[in-house]
């Protein structure tokens, strides 16, 4: 059963030895906690508008130290001591341990550390979250998962589900290009195309939670946007950057953002390292979003009383949708938590115009880094932050490149003016 944790009231674990850390629990926005011994994706309480309330996990008392890294494991599971549950048999395909490439970039005279996340098994950062989320859900007894995604999230869940012997159903808008669902179908997932908007697909997925799955058993809604275990996977990006840089934190991390899972993952990971005494400060986190669909950046700027001088569209993705389609999320589930993470780090938000996204896509390609426009916006944001003086050329700045350009061939061809 859930338990309330108001104010300074002492929960049950206060009776334990002071040397025993409290167990990690699910926690909702009201402070109500739920034990991890059974799977759940949302709170019992609803938001004021009746919609589901998301969950996070309660904070660990500290992260892991460098001595707790399992150096014998060449994947993100080398950091498994930091996870909320022990997992004797993880679903792993070698995800994580992606290259950190240091390159001169732009005219400012500085160098950038590019984190090349397309070296993950399905060519995107979402493999981090999928590996940890599905491993822990399988351990909790889940046998069939449901995800709503038209792109990288669906491919990652389909891949890791089949690798772990789980059934998978992926819901996508009926307007989704067949090319995007090929990999999901190849992995053996059931693909259901839902008429209407992207939000209609999300609503259909929520409604389908608990229905009977293929081969019996109920379907569990294992959404990369909703489940807090997914953030346990993305937090390994922080641990990995810390290890890549000789066990120190960078000064800045610029993150292309749709729903905010990499921002929150870095917030969790670097926060744990700070609590463990492994770093002396958090790096500043900067969120990059396309101006045409920038709900997180816009909310952060408005709440901070800042202006970037760019007009906010009256409607997201209207009259023209952004080329950064992977970041085209009009209603992020954890907008509030993502903005909080940016504030904690002392970072900021950059809304990137379409022309700058296209230019950065080609600039990266011509430096040897072929990425999708969705993540090229982070490189465009680097230019803006450098020009404004928000970051300096001599600082250690990481730009996270979340996915390969191979998955976005039509979009890159559009930029080049090439007909396919």
């Amino acid at each position: 059963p859930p338990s309330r944790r108001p104010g300074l009231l002492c929960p049950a674990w206060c009776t334990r030895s002071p040397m025993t850390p409290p167990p990690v629990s699910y926690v909702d926005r009201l402070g109500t906690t739920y034990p991890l011994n059974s799977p759940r994706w949302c709170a019992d309480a609803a938001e004021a508008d009746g919609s589901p309330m998301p969950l996070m996990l309660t904070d660990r008392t500290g992260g892991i130290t460098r001595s707790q890294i399992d150096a014998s494991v060449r994947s993100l599971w080398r950091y498994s001591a930091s996870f909320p549950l022990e997992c004797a048999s993880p679903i792993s395909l070698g995800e994580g341990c992606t290259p950190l490439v240091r390159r001169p970039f732009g005219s400012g005279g500085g160098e950038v550390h590019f984190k090349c996340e397309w070296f993950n098994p399905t060519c995107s950062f979402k493999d981090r979250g999928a590996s940890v989320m599905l491993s822990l859900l399988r351990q909790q007894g889940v046998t069939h998962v449901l995800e709503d995604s038209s792109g990288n999230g669906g491919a990652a869940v389909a891949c890791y589900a089949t690798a772990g012997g789980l059934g998978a159903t992926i819901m996508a808008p009926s307007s989704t290009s067949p090319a995007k669902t090929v990999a999901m179908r190849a992995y053996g997932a059931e693909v259901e195309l839902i008429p209407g908007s992207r939000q209609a697909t999300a609503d259909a997925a929520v409604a389908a939670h608990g229905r009977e799955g293929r081969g019996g058993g109920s379907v569990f809604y294992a959404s990369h946007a909703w489940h807090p275990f997914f953030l346990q996977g993305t937090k390994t990006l922080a641990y990995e950057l810390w290890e890549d840089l000789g066990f120190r934190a960078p000064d800045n991390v610029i993150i292309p953002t749709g729903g905010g899972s990499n921002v929150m993952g870095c917030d969790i990971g670097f926060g744990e390292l700070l609590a463990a005494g492994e770093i002396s400060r958090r790096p500043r986190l900067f969120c990059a979003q396309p101006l045409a669909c920038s709900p997180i950046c816009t909310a952060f700027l408005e709440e901070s009383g800042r202006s970037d001088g760019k007009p906010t569209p009256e409607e997201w993705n209207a009259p023209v949708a952004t080329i950064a389609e992977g970041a085209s999320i009009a209603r992020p589930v954890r907008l509030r938590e993502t903005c909080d993470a940016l504030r904690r780090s002392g970072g900021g938000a950059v809304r990137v115009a379409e022309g700058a996204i296209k230019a950065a896509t080609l600039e990266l390609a011509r430096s040897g880094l072929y990425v999708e426009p969705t993540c090229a916006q982070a490189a465009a944001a680097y230019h803006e932050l450098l020009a404004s003086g928000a970051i300096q050329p001599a600082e250690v700045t990481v730009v996270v490149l979340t996915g390969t350009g191979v998955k976005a061939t039509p979009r890159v061809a559009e930029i080049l003016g090439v007909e396919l």
Side-chain angles (χ1 to χ4, degrees):
S3 61
R4 183 75 67 183
R5 300 178 63 201
L8 298 177
L9 292 180
C10 187
W13 48 260
C14 282
T15 60
R16 299 183 180 190
S17 162
M19 297 302 292
T20 303
V24 177
S25 304
Y26 299 111
V27 61
D28 66 22
R29 286 172 171 169
L30 301 176
T32 304
T33 60
Y34 310 82
L36 289 187
N37 58 9
S38 61
R40 62 166 53 236
W41 66 272
C42 68
D44 288 346
E47 300 284 13
D49 63 1
S51 62
M53 181 181 292
L55 296 169
M56 297 290 283
L57 298 183
T58 53
D59 292 337
R60 293 170 54 90
T61 54
I64 63 173
T65 63
R66 66 195 73 183
S67 65
Q68 292 173 283
I69 297 171
D70 186 349
S72 69
V73 177
R74 183 65 182 172
S75 77
L76 60 77
W77 288 91
R78 65 199 285 111
Y79 311 115
S80 63
S82 75
F83 295 155
L85 296 172
E86 291 186 12
C87 186
S89 182
I91 307 169
S92 179
L93 297 167
E95 59 291 322
C97 297
T98 58
L100 184 66
V101 179
R102 185 175 180 179
R103 302 278 293 163
F105 192 70
S107 57
E111 291 187 318
V112 174
H113 294 75
F114 292 103
K115 188 61 168 166
C116 302
E117 288 288 271
W118 69 85
F119 280 80
N120 282 300
T122 74
C123 303
S124 92
F125 82 94
K126 287 195 167 79
D127 292 345
R128 292 182 183 270
S131 174
V132 176
M133 177 177 70
L134 296 190
S135 294
L136 299 186
L137 287 176
R138 184 178 68 172
Q139 185 165 287
Q140 290 181 324
V142 170
T143 59
H144 192 125
V145 294
L146 167 69
E147 162 75 300
D148 57 302
S149 169
S150 61
N152 290 331
V157 168
C159 172
Y160 281 84
T162 196
L166 303 174
T169 299
I170 311 296
M171 290 185 173
S174 56
S175 58
T176 300
S177 166
K180 287 191 174 183
T181 63
V182 166
M184 305 173 201
R185 296 178 192 274
Y187 289 129
E190 299 176 77
V191 176
E192 297 184 16
L193 300 179
I194 308 299
S197 66
R198 176 65 182 84
Q199 188 59 44
T201 300
D203 293 341
V206 169
H209 171 72
R211 77 182 188 190
E212 186 174 347
R214 181 177 58 188
S218 62
V219 169
F220 182 85
Y221 185 35
S223 167
H224 71 278
W226 280 90
H227 206 286
F229 287 167
F230 192 88
L231 303 181
Q232 292 295 302
T234 60
K235 83 175 183 185
T236 63
L237 176 61
Y239 279 96
E240 208 165 286
L241 290 173
W242 162 67
E243 187 176 4
D244 287 342
L245 294 170
F247 300 106
R248 61 190 176 95
D251 296 305
N252 313 295
V253 184
I254 306 174
I255 304 168
T257 303
S261 60
N262 262 341
V263 173
M264 288 180 288
C266 283
D267 176 59
I268 294 167
F270 284 118
E272 290 178 359
L273 289 168
L274 184 64
E278 284 290 338
I279 58 175
S280 60
R281 53 162 180 79
R282 296 173 184 264
R284 293 187 298 167
L285 306 179
F286 291 92
C287 168
Q289 288 195 298
L291 175 61
C293 189
S294 52
I296 294 172
C297 287
T298 299
F300 178 83
L301 293 172
E302 289 177 351
E303 292 168 7
S304 304
R306 306 178 193 176
S307 173
D308 59 7
K310 301 172 184 176
T312 300
E314 293 185 7
E315 180 181 350
W316 300 131
N317 283 318
V320 179
T322 178
I323 196 170
E325 56 191 1
S328 186
I329 299 175
R331 292 169 56 186
V333 170
R334 292 192 175 92
L335 183 148
R336 182 191 310 178
E337 289 81 1
T338 306
C339 288
D340 288 345
L342 295 173
R343 275 190 289 273
R344 263 191 297 274
S345 76
V350 182
R351 305 190 302 175
V352 186
E354 293 299 291
I357 296 173
K358 294 175 182 178
T361 302
L362 294 185
E363 184 180 9
L364 286 167
R366 287 163 187 174
S367 67
L369 301 170
Y370 185 54
V371 303
E372 58 186 350
T374 292
C375 61
Q377 63 181 323
Y382 169 77
H383 287 317
E384 292 195 29
L385 291 166
L386 201 61
S388 70
I391 64 177
Q392 301 299 319
E395 292 177 335
V396 177
T397 296
V398 173
V399 170
V400 182
L401 300 178
T402 50
T404 174
V406 173
K407 286 191 174 186
T409 298
R411 291 299 195 181
V412 178
E414 177 187 328
I415 295 171
L416 293 168
V418 174
E419 291 188 14
L420 298 178

